[in-house]
Amino acid sequence: DQIVPAYIINTFNWIPGMTGLCIAGLFSAALSTISSCLNSIASVTVVDIIKPLYRKGNMSDKQVVWCAKILSLVYGGICIALSFCFIGVKSFQQLAQVLISSQEGPMLAVFIVGVLTTKASDKCVSFALIAGYSLMSCISFGALFSNYTQPPLPLSTEECIFQTVTNHGNSTFVSPTRISPVPSQDNNKDVFVLVKLSYLWYSTIGFIFTLVLIFLAVILTGWKNNEIPEDSVCLSPVTRLWMKQKISLKTKELKYEKENNIITSTSRM
């Protein structure tokens, strides 16, 4: 996390003011990104949550603006408070990867189910998404605050057989020797198993867990019901092609049944 500041200090330390200017540029870029994120979250909250729940009718533009500003301030305060919670985190990159990876997997599962199938209802998807987020949040925050450290790869020469050559006069003796291992203390025995996983697996675990829950919920609530219209433009081209073939097959079957009914009715007459 200190590579860029160290590079700036070591490279521009001979130019007065250049180091501070570069650091200020980094902070300004970060602040611009964070401010846009806070404004987006506040706007989404106002439009999707507050305005539908507003009981006095439609909110005026002035009320919407003030509400968005207040929410931006609240979300900013929450971010500042959370920054104090992550003081003990060793790497900012690990923190960012953990927070992002724990949310990408469940969201990808919901997206794939919504694009490739027509069976999942909003209740099934919401249940699976909340469960996936809950599981991944427990794993990710447990890994961050458990002080667990990944054990390094074995690089020692323990248990390796070496040959010791000794000369006694005109004779040479070769005797194998084995280095006894040094007992190591494992301080991570009491850590939960899922916390020991690498954060690179979080997206995969969240994706599989959420996808399985969605299909289980769909099977329990009714597999034969189509929650998404078969001609929806939100479906992928592959799914639309498959649905067209399915619809054409059903049309042919209905046409064949009608013809059979007509033939049987005429034969009876």
Side-chain angles (χ1 to χ4, degrees), residues 38-39 42-43 46 61-76:
L38 293 177
N39 291 330
S43 301
V46 172
D61 295 338
K62 186 176 181 180
Q63 290 176 336
V64 171
V65 171
W66 274 105
C67 188
K69 289 181 178 180
I70 294 172
L71 286 175
S72 298
L73 182 62
V74 171
Y75 287 138

Side-chain angles (χ1 to χ4, degrees), residues 8-9 11-26:
I8 292 173
I9 293 173
T11 305
F12 301 110
N13 57 357
W14 59 278
I15 303 176
M18 182 59 69
T19 302
L21 184 62
C22 293
I23 298 297
L26 291 176

Side-chain angles (χ1 to χ4, degrees), residues 37-154:
C37 292
L38 293 177
N39 291 330
S40 300
I41 296 173
S43 301
V44 170
T45 305
V46 172
V47 174
D48 294 340
I49 298 177
I50 295 179
K51 288 183 72 175
L53 298 177
Y54 192 69
R55 297 181 179 179
K56 296 181 180 180
N58 296 327
M59 296 179 65
S60 62
D61 295 338
K62 186 176 181 180
Q63 290 176 336
V64 171
V65 171
W66 274 105
C67 188
K69 289 181 178 180
I70 294 172
L71 286 175
S72 298
L73 182 62
V74 171
Y75 287 138
I78 293 174
C79 292
I80 294 173
L82 289 176
S83 64
F84 289 99
C85 298
F86 298 124
I87 291 178
V89 178
K90 297 180 180 179
S91 174
F92 178 76
Q93 181 181 3
Q94 180 183 2
L95 173 62
Q97 289 291 335
V98 165
L99 295 179
I100 294 173
S101 300
S102 61
Q103 309 301 322
E104 285 179 346
M107 187 60 67
L108 178 61
V110 172
F111 178 78
I112 288 178
V113 169
V115 172
L116 298 181
T117 64
T118 60
K119 304 295 183 180
S121 62
D122 53 350
K123 294 181 180 179
C124 297
V125 172
S126 300
F127 164 73
L129 186 62
I130 293 173
Y133 278 158
S134 301
L135 176 65
M136 299 313 301
S137 298
C138 292
I139 295 175
S140 59
F141 285 104
L144 288 175
F145 296 109
S146 63
N147 294 325
Y148 173 74
T149 55
Q150 291 287 342
L153 295 176

Side-chain angles (χ1 to χ4, degrees), residues 230 235-248:
E230 296 178 350
L235 296 174
S236 65
V238 178
T239 308
R240 286 202 298 269
L241 179 62
W242 175 70
M243 295 304 297
K244 286 181 181 179
Q245 293 177 356
K246 187 177 180 181
I247 293 172
S248 62

Side-chain angles (χ1 to χ4, degrees), residues 157-160 177-183:
T157 58
E158 297 173 356
E159 295 293 335
C160 294
T177 58
R178 183 185 297 272
I179 300 177
S180 59
V182 178

